[in-house]
Amino acid sequence: MKRRKFLTKTGLGAIGATALGACNSQSEKPTITRANTPKTDTRQPSFRWRMATSWPKSLQILFEAADLLCQKVNNMTNGRFVITPYAAGELTDGLKVLQAVQDNMVECGHTASYYYLDYGSALAFGTTLPFGLTASQQNAWLYYGGGLEAMRRLYQNLGIINFPGGNTGTQMGGWFKQEVNTIEDFRGLRMRVPGLGGKILQRLGVEIKSLPGNRIFTALEQNTIDAAEWKNPHADQTLGLNKVAPFYYYPGWWEPGTSYEFQVNLEQWNKLPVEYQEIFQAAATDINTKMLAQFNAVNGEVLEGLVLSGTKLLPFSSEILQASYKEAFIMYEEMASKDQDFRNIYRQWQEFRNQIYAWNNMNELGFANFALKHPNLA
């Protein structure tokens, strides 16, 4: 990637009726929310929207992220732009939020793009790719590496505009009822895994089950699945997965930095005053940052509690990781050869990944290899 071209790309622009056209601009600057922004003009029109989400209310950090955006938008418009969030199943199934937004059943939603690969495999880039980008790397790609522009071009064809809306960080590898030490142990295993991670494991012999979060516990408890990944210690414990499967594996190589997003019906978006559009975007950006911070703040303590209560924490073997890595990039090349949208984003994503891997291998990994292994030297 040419340095000049890279530095001029941003992902924070693209607002309003000109949003998708602006995605092609190389000189666009990030939107900056200033402390002295004037109050909303009370002469502005009122809007009442509904937001479908993919989350049950019991998943506090995830559902509350959607709720927090609604609160912020309401407060910043003096109650003239009200969005009401709904849990999975209240308005639509948790895995059908995109369809609800596209069909204008609701004006907006909070979900993950990799739930909707039937609409196009390239949508996976909006959430995460196995052996791809960490949370900070994903945000760098979305906001400043051309990623958000690329995703918005895809969503334009669906009548939707998207905004990054949270990240879990690198996830865990999931809960298993039996140990898995080799690739052979995966053959015939029934497992809940979404996105391209599920497709890779399917190629390795796993029987993939597609389930929303609120159905995972029951499926494990009733032995209709043998294993399931969800997110991280805090979210997994909230679902009670530690009560129905004893083995907890890491790392979640299929989700190294899982991004969520706010999806907005483009027709409804274009009806908003520009000021409301900017407020919505600012609130989404704030939540995108805070969700990751919150998960990082709570997961260590929860993980410690899980282990003390009997959870058996295990790493995936080198055999499993190496076989999965090899299969992942074989699959990506096959997908790129068949799908132009996937190919166009994948080649640009690869270039960005190689560049940021080289940088983070030196700065972050160089530091972590020592410091995280010696936490008590001071």
Side-chain angles (χ1 to χ4, degrees):
M1 181 182 297
K2 299 295 184 182
R3 176 175 173 82
R4 183 176 301 275
K5 183 177 180 182
F6 171 73
L7 291 176
T8 55
K9 287 186 176 180
T10 73
L12 288 176
I15 304 178
T18 60
L20 296 160
C23 289
N24 296 319
S25 171
Q26 301 298 313
S27 60
E28 193 171 357
K29 300 296 183 183
T31 299
I32 299 174
T33 304
R34 303 186 185 279
N36 61 350
T37 300
K39 290 184 178 180
T40 305
D41 188 341
T42 56
R43 293 172 296 178
Q44 290 279 28
S46 294
F47 290 85
R48 297 293 183 270
W49 279 13
R50 298 191 299 173
M51 176 185 290
T53 76
S54 293
W55 332 117
K57 290 182 179 179
S58 59
L59 291 176
Q60 296 174 345
I61 294 179
L62 289 172
F63 185 80
E64 286 177 5
D67 189 46
L68 183 59
L69 177 132
C70 298
Q71 292 177 36
K72 286 179 175 292
V73 169
N74 178 72
N75 292 341
M76 295 169 74
T77 62
N78 295 325
R80 301 191 70 80
F81 183 10
V82 176
I83 308 174
T84 303
Y86 292 87
E90 290 185 337
L91 295 180
T92 188
D93 186 276
L95 300 182
K96 295 182 179 179
V97 172
L98 184 150
Q99 182 179 344
V101 175
Q102 182 186 35
D103 293 345
N104 209 12
M105 174 183 168
V106 296
E107 291 81 7
C108 59
H110 190 228
T111 187
S113 66
Y114 70 171
Y115 290 154
Y116 311 104
L117 299 187
D118 288 346
Y119 287 80
S121 59
L123 285 178
F125 289 95
T127 302
T128 187
L129 258 67
F131 299 105
L133 304 177
T134 65
S136 63
Q137 293 168 348
Q138 177 79 350
N139 277 335
W141 179 68
L142 286 170
Y143 287 131
Y144 293 99
L148 188 53
E149 292 93 335
M151 297 309 301
R152 283 181 173 169
R153 284 192 289 270
L154 293 178
Y155 275 117
Q156 180 180 15
N157 297 326
L158 301 176
I160 290 171
I161 183 170
N162 65 307
F163 301 85
N167 198 300
T168 64
T170 303
Q171 295 193 7
M172 294 292 287
W175 298 86
F176 292 72
K177 292 199 165 187
Q178 61 194 42
E179 291 190 45
V180 287
N181 299 308
T182 69
I183 287 297
E184 282 299 317
D185 293 334
F186 275 108
R187 301 193 188 282
L189 194 77
R190 299 166 300 168
M191 186 173 181
R192 183 269 182 196
V193 189
L196 295 184
K199 292 184 180 296
I200 293 166
L201 287 172
Q202 190 171 40
R203 291 162 67 106
L204 296 174
V206 177
E207 183 181 342
I208 300 302
K209 302 293 184 180
S210 180
L211 297 169
N214 57 349
R215 298 181 190 172
I216 297 174
F217 178 91
T218 301
L220 279 170
E221 184 180 41
Q222 296 178 353
N223 294 315
T224 58
I225 58 175
D226 308 303
E229 68 81 47
W230 180 232
K231 301 191 183 304
N232 48 43
H234 181 274
D236 293 359
Q237 184 187 55
T238 300
L239 289 185
L241 303 185
N242 56 302
K243 298 177 182 178
V244 285
F247 302 105
Y248 198 21
Y249 276 87
Y250 67 92
W253 51 263
W254 45 78
E255 300 201 30
T258 306
S259 290
Y260 301 114
E261 62 187 22
F262 294 102
Q263 299 174 350
V264 181
N265 181 280
L266 188 56
E267 180 181 353
Q268 297 299 326
W269 175 257
N270 287 333
K271 293 179 181 178
L272 293 176
V274 171
E275 184 179 10
Y276 288 7
Q277 293 176 345
E278 292 177 347
I279 286 170
F280 186 100
Q281 178 183 247
T285 303
D286 182 57
I287 286 156
N288 191 47
T289 302
K290 287 182 177 177
M291 181 189 290
L292 178 62
Q294 189 172 6
F295 271 129
N296 278 333
V298 301
N299 276 322
E301 180 180 357
V302 174
L303 180 61
E304 182 179 10
L306 288 171
V307 173
L308 289 174
S309 66
T311 292
K312 298 176 182 178
L313 190 63
L314 297 171
F316 284 126
S317 66
S318 294
E319 176 188 335
I320 289 172
L321 291 174
Q322 290 173 9
S324 302
Y325 183 90
K326 179 180 179 181
E327 197 64 41
F329 285 89
I330 290 174
M331 187 181 77
Y332 298 157
E333 290 298 331
E334 291 175 359
M335 294 171 70
S337 69
K338 299 174 183 178
D339 185 327
Q340 183 176 351
D341 286 334
F342 187 93
R343 179 170 63 253
N344 291 342
I345 298 179
Y346 179 57
R347 296 305 179 205
Q348 185 272 342
W349 177 91
Q350 270 188 309
E351 189 175 354
F352 183 88
R353 177 181 180 271
N354 291 340
Q355 184 184 63
I356 202 165
Y357 266 32
W359 162 235
N360 287 166
N361 183 58
M362 178 180 65
N363 71 328
E364 291 193 6
L365 187 60
F367 172 78
N369 276 338
F370 178 79
L372 296 185
K373 294 176 182 178
H374 303 84
N376 300 315
L377 282 182

PDB file of all heavy atoms in Angstrom, residues 198-228:
ATOM      1  N   GLY A 198     -16.698 -20.961  11.486  1.00  0.00           N
ATOM      2  CA  GLY A 198     -17.512 -22.153  11.355  1.00  0.00           C
ATOM      3  C   GLY A 198     -17.250 -22.884  10.053  1.00  0.00           C
ATOM      4  O   GLY A 198     -17.197 -24.122  10.018  1.00  0.00           O
ATOM      5  N   LYS A 199     -17.047 -22.137   8.980  1.00  0.00           N
ATOM      6  CA  LYS A 199     -16.787 -22.764   7.682  1.00  0.00           C
ATOM      7  C   LYS A 199     -15.443 -23.489   7.678  1.00  0.00           C
ATOM      8  O   LYS A 199     -15.296 -24.560   7.075  1.00  0.00           O
ATOM      9  CB  LYS A 199     -16.843 -21.712   6.574  1.00  0.00           C
ATOM     10  CG  LYS A 199     -18.237 -21.140   6.343  1.00  0.00           C
ATOM     11  CD  LYS A 199     -18.260 -20.179   5.180  1.00  0.00           C
ATOM     12  CE  LYS A 199     -19.668 -19.606   4.966  1.00  0.00           C
ATOM     13  NZ  LYS A 199     -20.645 -20.661   4.592  1.00  0.00           N
ATOM     14  N   ILE A 200     -14.449 -22.921   8.350  1.00  0.00           N
ATOM     15  CA  ILE A 200     -13.136 -23.574   8.435  1.00  0.00           C
ATOM     16  C   ILE A 200     -13.244 -24.863   9.240  1.00  0.00           C
ATOM     17  O   ILE A 200     -12.740 -25.919   8.830  1.00  0.00           O
ATOM     18  CB  ILE A 200     -12.103 -22.625   9.071  1.00  0.00           C
ATOM     19  CG1 ILE A 200     -11.845 -21.438   8.140  1.00  0.00           C
ATOM     20  CG2 ILE A 200     -10.795 -23.358   9.381  1.00  0.00           C
ATOM     21  CD1 ILE A 200     -11.118 -20.285   8.803  1.00  0.00           C
ATOM     22  N   LEU A 201     -13.907 -24.799  10.386  1.00  0.00           N
ATOM     23  CA  LEU A 201     -14.067 -25.998  11.209  1.00  0.00           C
ATOM     24  C   LEU A 201     -14.901 -27.053  10.488  1.00  0.00           C
ATOM     25  O   LEU A 201     -14.665 -28.250  10.641  1.00  0.00           O
ATOM     26  CB  LEU A 201     -14.708 -25.629  12.545  1.00  0.00           C
ATOM     27  CG  LEU A 201     -13.791 -24.883  13.520  1.00  0.00           C
ATOM     28  CD1 LEU A 201     -14.572 -24.399  14.733  1.00  0.00           C
ATOM     29  CD2 LEU A 201     -12.634 -25.773  13.966  1.00  0.00           C
ATOM     30  N   GLN A 202     -15.846 -26.622   9.693  1.00  0.00           N
ATOM     31  CA  GLN A 202     -16.645 -27.562   8.913  1.00  0.00           C
ATOM     32  C   GLN A 202     -15.753 -28.319   7.928  1.00  0.00           C
ATOM     33  O   GLN A 202     -15.915 -29.534   7.730  1.00  0.00           O
ATOM     34  CB  GLN A 202     -17.743 -26.811   8.162  1.00  0.00           C
ATOM     35  CG  GLN A 202     -18.789 -27.687   7.511  1.00  0.00           C
ATOM     36  CD  GLN A 202     -19.945 -26.862   6.973  1.00  0.00           C
ATOM     37  OE1 GLN A 202     -19.753 -25.785   6.414  1.00  0.00           O
ATOM     38  NE2 GLN A 202     -21.160 -27.360   7.157  1.00  0.00           N
ATOM     39  N   ARG A 203     -14.801 -27.622   7.341  1.00  0.00           N
ATOM     40  CA  ARG A 203     -13.858 -28.268   6.429  1.00  0.00           C
ATOM     41  C   ARG A 203     -12.952 -29.254   7.162  1.00  0.00           C
ATOM     42  O   ARG A 203     -12.379 -30.158   6.540  1.00  0.00           O
ATOM     43  CB  ARG A 203     -13.022 -27.197   5.720  1.00  0.00           C
ATOM     44  CG  ARG A 203     -13.829 -26.353   4.741  1.00  0.00           C
ATOM     45  CD  ARG A 203     -13.105 -25.063   4.387  1.00  0.00           C
ATOM     46  NE  ARG A 203     -11.902 -25.273   3.623  1.00  0.00           N
ATOM     47  CZ  ARG A 203     -11.763 -25.024   2.316  1.00  0.00           C
ATOM     48  NH1 ARG A 203     -12.807 -24.580   1.633  1.00  0.00           N
ATOM     49  NH2 ARG A 203     -10.621 -25.210   1.707  1.00  0.00           N
ATOM     50  N   LEU A 204     -12.824 -29.069   8.472  1.00  0.00           N
ATOM     51  CA  LEU A 204     -12.002 -29.969   9.286  1.00  0.00           C
ATOM     52  C   LEU A 204     -12.830 -31.076   9.931  1.00  0.00           C
ATOM     53  O   LEU A 204     -12.320 -31.833  10.766  1.00  0.00           O
ATOM     54  CB  LEU A 204     -11.275 -29.161  10.371  1.00  0.00           C
ATOM     55  CG  LEU A 204     -10.260 -28.131   9.863  1.00  0.00           C
ATOM     56  CD1 LEU A 204      -9.722 -27.292  11.012  1.00  0.00           C
ATOM     57  CD2 LEU A 204      -9.102 -28.825   9.125  1.00  0.00           C
ATOM     58  N   GLY A 205     -14.106 -31.169   9.566  1.00  0.00           N
ATOM     59  CA  GLY A 205     -14.931 -32.281  10.014  1.00  0.00           C
ATOM     60  C   GLY A 205     -15.958 -31.971  11.074  1.00  0.00           C
ATOM     61  O   GLY A 205     -16.685 -32.860  11.529  1.00  0.00           O
ATOM     62  N   VAL A 206     -16.073 -30.699  11.486  1.00  0.00           N
ATOM     63  CA  VAL A 206     -17.031 -30.322  12.519  1.00  0.00           C
ATOM     64  C   VAL A 206     -18.419 -30.123  11.899  1.00  0.00           C
ATOM     65  O   VAL A 206     -18.547 -29.579  10.802  1.00  0.00           O
ATOM     66  CB  VAL A 206     -16.586 -29.031  13.239  1.00  0.00           C
ATOM     67  CG1 VAL A 206     -17.617 -28.594  14.268  1.00  0.00           C
ATOM     68  CG2 VAL A 206     -15.219 -29.243  13.900  1.00  0.00           C
ATOM     69  N   GLU A 207     -19.451 -30.554  12.602  1.00  0.00           N
ATOM     70  CA  GLU A 207     -20.830 -30.305  12.192  1.00  0.00           C
ATOM     71  C   GLU A 207     -21.274 -28.988  12.825  1.00  0.00           C
ATOM     72  O   GLU A 207     -21.405 -28.893  14.041  1.00  0.00           O
ATOM     73  CB  GLU A 207     -21.744 -31.438  12.651  1.00  0.00           C
ATOM     74  CG  GLU A 207     -23.189 -31.283  12.202  1.00  0.00           C
ATOM     75  CD  GLU A 207     -24.083 -32.412  12.708  1.00  0.00           C
ATOM     76  OE1 GLU A 207     -23.547 -33.462  13.095  1.00  0.00           O
ATOM     77  OE2 GLU A 207     -25.319 -32.214  12.718  1.00  0.00           O
ATOM     78  N   ILE A 208     -21.484 -27.961  11.999  1.00  0.00           N
ATOM     79  CA  ILE A 208     -21.740 -26.607  12.497  1.00  0.00           C
ATOM     80  C   ILE A 208     -23.230 -26.381  12.743  1.00  0.00           C
ATOM     81  O   ILE A 208     -24.073 -26.719  11.917  1.00  0.00           O
ATOM     82  CB  ILE A 208     -21.204 -25.556  11.502  1.00  0.00           C
ATOM     83  CG1 ILE A 208     -19.699 -25.738  11.310  1.00  0.00           C
ATOM     84  CG2 ILE A 208     -21.522 -24.150  11.990  1.00  0.00           C
ATOM     85  CD1 ILE A 208     -18.890 -25.631  12.584  1.00  0.00           C
ATOM     86  N   LYS A 209     -23.525 -25.780  13.896  1.00  0.00           N
ATOM     87  CA  LYS A 209     -24.885 -25.406  14.249  1.00  0.00           C
ATOM     88  C   LYS A 209     -24.957 -23.879  14.375  1.00  0.00           C
ATOM     89  O   LYS A 209     -24.113 -23.270  15.021  1.00  0.00           O
ATOM     90  CB  LYS A 209     -25.291 -26.038  15.577  1.00  0.00           C
ATOM     91  CG  LYS A 209     -25.209 -27.561  15.601  1.00  0.00           C
ATOM     92  CD  LYS A 209     -26.240 -28.191  14.688  1.00  0.00           C
ATOM     93  CE  LYS A 209     -26.212 -29.712  14.814  1.00  0.00           C
ATOM     94  NZ  LYS A 209     -27.222 -30.353  13.933  1.00  0.00           N
ATOM     95  N   SER A 210     -25.952 -23.283  13.770  1.00  0.00           N
ATOM     96  CA  SER A 210     -26.138 -21.833  13.842  1.00  0.00           C
ATOM     97  C   SER A 210     -27.202 -21.522  14.886  1.00  0.00           C
ATOM     98  O   SER A 210     -28.379 -21.863  14.718  1.00  0.00           O
ATOM     99  CB  SER A 210     -26.561 -21.277  12.479  1.00  0.00           C
ATOM    100  OG  SER A 210     -26.752 -19.888  12.531  1.00  0.00           O
ATOM    101  N   LEU A 211     -26.758 -20.880  15.979  1.00  0.00           N
ATOM    102  CA  LEU A 211     -27.672 -20.583  17.080  1.00  0.00           C
ATOM    103  C   LEU A 211     -27.412 -19.181  17.606  1.00  0.00           C
ATOM    104  O   LEU A 211     -26.258 -18.780  17.760  1.00  0.00           O
ATOM    105  CB  LEU A 211     -27.465 -21.576  18.232  1.00  0.00           C
ATOM    106  CG  LEU A 211     -27.749 -23.061  17.986  1.00  0.00           C
ATOM    107  CD1 LEU A 211     -27.236 -23.883  19.160  1.00  0.00           C
ATOM    108  CD2 LEU A 211     -29.234 -23.284  17.775  1.00  0.00           C
ATOM    109  N   PRO A 212     -28.460 -18.423  17.927  1.00  0.00           N
ATOM    110  CA  PRO A 212     -28.266 -17.149  18.623  1.00  0.00           C
ATOM    111  C   PRO A 212     -27.860 -17.420  20.068  1.00  0.00           C
ATOM    112  O   PRO A 212     -28.032 -18.531  20.590  1.00  0.00           O
ATOM    113  CB  PRO A 212     -29.629 -16.469  18.533  1.00  0.00           C
ATOM    114  CG  PRO A 212     -30.601 -17.605  18.412  1.00  0.00           C
ATOM    115  CD  PRO A 212     -29.889 -18.678  17.648  1.00  0.00           C
ATOM    116  N   GLY A 213     -27.339 -16.395  20.726  1.00  0.00           N
ATOM    117  CA  GLY A 213     -26.813 -16.567  22.069  1.00  0.00           C
ATOM    118  C   GLY A 213     -27.801 -17.126  23.065  1.00  0.00           C
ATOM    119  O   GLY A 213     -27.430 -17.939  23.931  1.00  0.00           O
ATOM    120  N   ASN A 214     -29.058 -16.731  22.957  1.00  0.00           N
ATOM    121  CA  ASN A 214     -30.026 -17.147  23.963  1.00  0.00           C
ATOM    122  C   ASN A 214     -30.461 -18.606  23.835  1.00  0.00           C
ATOM    123  O   ASN A 214     -31.244 -19.100  24.647  1.00  0.00           O
ATOM    124  CB  ASN A 214     -31.262 -16.226  23.929  1.00  0.00           C
ATOM    125  CG  ASN A 214     -31.933 -16.181  22.567  1.00  0.00           C
ATOM    126  OD1 ASN A 214     -31.394 -16.663  21.570  1.00  0.00           O
ATOM    127  ND2 ASN A 214     -33.107 -15.589  22.499  1.00  0.00           N
ATOM    128  N   ARG A 215     -29.937 -19.326  22.828  1.00  0.00           N
ATOM    129  CA  ARG A 215     -30.286 -20.734  22.668  1.00  0.00           C
ATOM    130  C   ARG A 215     -29.110 -21.671  22.941  1.00  0.00           C
ATOM    131  O   ARG A 215     -29.261 -22.899  22.880  1.00  0.00           O
ATOM    132  CB  ARG A 215     -30.806 -20.985  21.249  1.00  0.00           C
ATOM    133  CG  ARG A 215     -32.069 -20.210  20.902  1.00  0.00           C
ATOM    134  CD  ARG A 215     -32.530 -20.519  19.494  1.00  0.00           C
ATOM    135  NE  ARG A 215     -33.597 -19.627  19.071  1.00  0.00           N
ATOM    136  CZ  ARG A 215     -34.079 -19.589  17.820  1.00  0.00           C
ATOM    137  NH1 ARG A 215     -33.572 -20.389  16.904  1.00  0.00           N
ATOM    138  NH2 ARG A 215     -35.042 -18.742  17.502  1.00  0.00           N
ATOM    139  N   ILE A 216     -27.935 -21.117  23.224  1.00  0.00           N
ATOM    140  CA  ILE A 216     -26.741 -21.953  23.347  1.00  0.00           C
ATOM    141  C   ILE A 216     -26.795 -22.835  24.591  1.00  0.00           C
ATOM    142  O   ILE A 216     -26.491 -24.034  24.537  1.00  0.00           O
ATOM    143  CB  ILE A 216     -25.472 -21.085  23.362  1.00  0.00           C
ATOM    144  CG1 ILE A 216     -25.341 -20.330  22.035  1.00  0.00           C
ATOM    145  CG2 ILE A 216     -24.241 -21.945  23.586  1.00  0.00           C
ATOM    146  CD1 ILE A 216     -24.185 -19.337  22.024  1.00  0.00           C
ATOM    147  N   PHE A 217     -27.153 -22.257  25.729  1.00  0.00           N
ATOM    148  CA  PHE A 217     -27.163 -23.021  26.981  1.00  0.00           C
ATOM    149  C   PHE A 217     -28.059 -24.253  26.857  1.00  0.00           C
ATOM    150  O   PHE A 217     -27.651 -25.371  27.212  1.00  0.00           O
ATOM    151  CB  PHE A 217     -27.646 -22.129  28.130  1.00  0.00           C
ATOM    152  CG  PHE A 217     -27.728 -22.838  29.454  1.00  0.00           C
ATOM    153  CD1 PHE A 217     -26.650 -22.854  30.316  1.00  0.00           C
ATOM    154  CD2 PHE A 217     -28.900 -23.500  29.832  1.00  0.00           C
ATOM    155  CE1 PHE A 217     -26.727 -23.526  31.542  1.00  0.00           C
ATOM    156  CE2 PHE A 217     -28.984 -24.157  31.054  1.00  0.00           C
ATOM    157  CZ  PHE A 217     -27.890 -24.175  31.902  1.00  0.00           C
ATOM    158  N   THR A 218     -29.262 -24.059  26.362  1.00  0.00           N
ATOM    159  CA  THR A 218     -30.206 -25.177  26.255  1.00  0.00           C
ATOM    160  C   THR A 218     -29.677 -26.253  25.322  1.00  0.00           C
ATOM    161  O   THR A 218     -29.818 -27.455  25.603  1.00  0.00           O
ATOM    162  CB  THR A 218     -31.573 -24.672  25.761  1.00  0.00           C
ATOM    163  OG1 THR A 218     -32.065 -23.691  26.679  1.00  0.00           O
ATOM    164  CG2 THR A 218     -32.569 -25.804  25.651  1.00  0.00           C
ATOM    165  N   ALA A 219     -29.062 -25.845  24.224  1.00  0.00           N
ATOM    166  CA  ALA A 219     -28.526 -26.824  23.271  1.00  0.00           C
ATOM    167  C   ALA A 219     -27.420 -27.664  23.901  1.00  0.00           C
ATOM    168  O   ALA A 219     -27.357 -28.888  23.689  1.00  0.00           O
ATOM    169  CB  ALA A 219     -28.003 -26.111  22.029  1.00  0.00           C
ATOM    170  N   LEU A 220     -26.550 -27.030  24.685  1.00  0.00           N
ATOM    171  CA  LEU A 220     -25.509 -27.780  25.387  1.00  0.00           C
ATOM    172  C   LEU A 220     -26.104 -28.667  26.468  1.00  0.00           C
ATOM    173  O   LEU A 220     -25.720 -29.831  26.630  1.00  0.00           O
ATOM    174  CB  LEU A 220     -24.490 -26.819  26.000  1.00  0.00           C
ATOM    175  CG  LEU A 220     -23.405 -26.264  25.095  1.00  0.00           C
ATOM    176  CD1 LEU A 220     -22.642 -25.143  25.795  1.00  0.00           C
ATOM    177  CD2 LEU A 220     -22.441 -27.360  24.646  1.00  0.00           C
ATOM    178  N   GLU A 221     -27.051 -28.125  27.203  1.00  0.00           N
ATOM    179  CA  GLU A 221     -27.661 -28.870  28.303  1.00  0.00           C
ATOM    180  C   GLU A 221     -28.400 -30.100  27.795  1.00  0.00           C
ATOM    181  O   GLU A 221     -28.355 -31.174  28.422  1.00  0.00           O
ATOM    182  CB  GLU A 221     -28.626 -27.958  29.063  1.00  0.00           C
ATOM    183  CG  GLU A 221     -29.240 -28.589  30.293  1.00  0.00           C
ATOM    184  CD  GLU A 221     -30.199 -27.650  31.008  1.00  0.00           C
ATOM    185  OE1 GLU A 221     -30.972 -26.957  30.306  1.00  0.00           O
ATOM    186  OE2 GLU A 221     -30.167 -27.606  32.244  1.00  0.00           O
ATOM    187  N   GLN A 222     -29.049 -29.983  26.643  1.00  0.00           N
ATOM    188  CA  GLN A 222     -29.829 -31.089  26.088  1.00  0.00           C
ATOM    189  C   GLN A 222     -29.023 -31.975  25.145  1.00  0.00           C
ATOM    190  O   GLN A 222     -29.574 -32.871  24.505  1.00  0.00           O
ATOM    191  CB  GLN A 222     -31.064 -30.533  25.375  1.00  0.00           C
ATOM    192  CG  GLN A 222     -32.030 -29.817  26.306  1.00  0.00           C
ATOM    193  CD  GLN A 222     -33.231 -29.228  25.585  1.00  0.00           C
ATOM    194  OE1 GLN A 222     -33.309 -29.235  24.357  1.00  0.00           O
ATOM    195  NE2 GLN A 222     -34.192 -28.721  26.355  1.00  0.00           N
ATOM    196  N   ASN A 223     -27.716 -31.701  25.054  1.00  0.00           N
ATOM    197  CA  ASN A 223     -26.797 -32.510  24.246  1.00  0.00           C
ATOM    198  C   ASN A 223     -27.133 -32.524  22.758  1.00  0.00           C
ATOM    199  O   ASN A 223     -26.853 -33.494  22.057  1.00  0.00           O
ATOM    200  CB  ASN A 223     -26.752 -33.956  24.771  1.00  0.00           C
ATOM    201  CG  ASN A 223     -26.136 -34.043  26.151  1.00  0.00           C
ATOM    202  OD1 ASN A 223     -25.107 -33.437  26.427  1.00  0.00           O
ATOM    203  ND2 ASN A 223     -26.778 -34.808  27.041  1.00  0.00           N
ATOM    204  N   THR A 224     -27.749 -31.446  22.274  1.00  0.00           N
ATOM    205  CA  THR A 224     -27.939 -31.335  20.828  1.00  0.00           C
ATOM    206  C   THR A 224     -26.693 -30.766  20.157  1.00  0.00           C
ATOM    207  O   THR A 224     -26.570 -30.801  18.937  1.00  0.00           O
ATOM    208  CB  THR A 224     -29.155 -30.456  20.498  1.00  0.00           C
ATOM    209  OG1 THR A 224     -28.970 -29.158  21.085  1.00  0.00           O
ATOM    210  CG2 THR A 224     -30.427 -31.081  21.052  1.00  0.00           C
ATOM    211  N   ILE A 225     -25.784 -30.203  20.948  1.00  0.00           N
ATOM    212  CA  ILE A 225     -24.450 -29.822  20.486  1.00  0.00           C
ATOM    213  C   ILE A 225     -23.437 -30.305  21.523  1.00  0.00           C
ATOM    214  O   ILE A 225     -23.762 -30.525  22.687  1.00  0.00           O
ATOM    215  CB  ILE A 225     -24.299 -28.305  20.251  1.00  0.00           C
ATOM    216  CG1 ILE A 225     -24.600 -27.516  21.534  1.00  0.00           C
ATOM    217  CG2 ILE A 225     -25.175 -27.839  19.101  1.00  0.00           C
ATOM    218  CD1 ILE A 225     -24.345 -26.013  21.397  1.00  0.00           C
ATOM    219  N   ASP A 226     -22.181 -30.481  21.075  1.00  0.00           N
ATOM    220  CA  ASP A 226     -21.103 -30.956  21.946  1.00  0.00           C
ATOM    221  C   ASP A 226     -20.187 -29.836  22.409  1.00  0.00           C
ATOM    222  O   ASP A 226     -19.414 -30.024  23.354  1.00  0.00           O
ATOM    223  CB  ASP A 226     -20.252 -31.995  21.204  1.00  0.00           C
ATOM    224  CG  ASP A 226     -21.084 -33.110  20.605  1.00  0.00           C
ATOM    225  OD1 ASP A 226     -21.811 -33.768  21.367  1.00  0.00           O
ATOM    226  OD2 ASP A 226     -21.037 -33.302  19.365  1.00  0.00           O
ATOM    227  N   ALA A 227     -20.254 -28.702  21.721  1.00  0.00           N
ATOM    228  CA  ALA A 227     -19.364 -27.590  22.044  1.00  0.00           C
ATOM    229  C   ALA A 227     -19.967 -26.304  21.500  1.00  0.00           C
ATOM    230  O   ALA A 227     -20.802 -26.334  20.582  1.00  0.00           O
ATOM    231  CB  ALA A 227     -17.980 -27.815  21.445  1.00  0.00           C
ATOM    232  N   ALA A 228     -19.557 -25.191  22.070  1.00  0.00           N
ATOM    233  CA  ALA A 228     -20.049 -23.888  21.600  1.00  0.00           C
ATOM    234  C   ALA A 228     -19.068 -22.801  21.969  1.00  0.00           C
ATOM    235  O   ALA A 228     -18.485 -22.816  23.059  1.00  0.00           O
ATOM    236  CB  ALA A 228     -21.406 -23.575  22.216  1.00  0.00           C
TER     237      ALA A 228
END
